[in-house]
Amino acid sequence: MTDWPDLSGRLVDGTHMLPVRVYYEDTDFTGVVYHANYLKFIERGRTDFLRLLGVHHSELADGKTGEALGFAVQSINVTYRRPARIDDVVEVRTATRSVTGARIVLDQRVFLGDTELVSADVTIVVITLDGRLRRLPDFMRSAFERSIL
């Protein structure tokens, strides 16, 4: 059996990098990535960033770290600069900008080569499974603090 490449991307100096191929289903009738699909790309980047920091959605939801928890996007500010097209391989870069009691502010960008296509400032919060805000568990806070830009 052949070893698969690391599907979670890689961490380089605190920044997570995830390659994403643009498929037909990601594009609109003009052949460029539909704007809402960039949100899917950066969601994948956030999820794999968390995974490489040792924070797993399934373990949080199962309560393996104490109370059952999850993440919710509190705010997102997206700027679209240039389009990606079918068959492009873009790179989603995710880095921590700040960490407070229950909030994590992330800097997420999508590149094609050296060209920045999209930038997003994303604030995520930790919540209980019934939607109540919770402070970051210590292990999570320290994982994010180690990755601050």
Side-chain angles (χ1 to χ4, degrees):
M1 182 165 157
T2 305
D3 288 335
W4 285 88
D6 185 357
L7 299 178
S8 295
R10 64 189 184 279
L11 279 171
V12 178
D13 297 327
T15 298
H16 178 257
M17 297 177 195
L18 179 71
V20 175
R21 182 175 305 280
V22 175
Y23 294 104
Y24 180 77
E25 67 186 17
D26 299 319
T27 63
D28 63 15
F29 72 96
T30 66
V32 301
V33 173
Y34 181 67
H35 72 280
N37 287 329
Y38 287 104
L39 298 178
K40 293 179 183 180
F41 297 168
I42 64 175
E43 176 68 32
R44 292 177 201 163
R46 277 195 312 279
T47 299
D48 283 328
F49 178 51
L50 293 171
R51 183 175 287 117
L52 291 179
L53 290 179
V55 179
H56 301 276
H57 287 287
S58 59
E59 290 178 1
L60 285 175
D62 290 343
K64 290 184 179 174
T65 60
E67 184 178 20
L69 299 171
F71 289 100
V73 172
Q74 185 180 53
S75 67
I76 187 166
N77 181 19
V78 182
T79 301
Y80 300 95
R81 291 184 173 77
R82 292 197 173 10
R85 301 182 188 294
I86 193 167
D87 292 331
D88 284 345
V89 176
V90 298
E91 184 174 76
V92 179
R93 299 179 190 170
T94 305
T96 305
R97 183 171 297 146
S98 66
V99 180
T100 60
R103 289 174 180 77
I104 304 158
V105 179
L106 300 171
D107 177 70
Q108 294 196 266
R109 298 176 187 276
V110 180
F111 285 84
L112 180 60
D114 293 330
T115 303
E116 185 177 303
L117 305 180
V118 174
S119 63
D121 298 318
V122 183
T123 301
I124 58 175
V125 293
V126 176
I127 59 170
T128 62
L129 298 187
D130 61 355
R132 290 176 293 160
L133 202 61
R134 285 291 186 257
R135 292 185 66 78
L136 292 167
D138 290 339
F139 83 95
M140 194 183 301
R141 173 184 301 289
S142 62
F144 280 103
E145 286 175 345
R146 286 191 306 270
S147 70
I148 291 179
L149 287 172

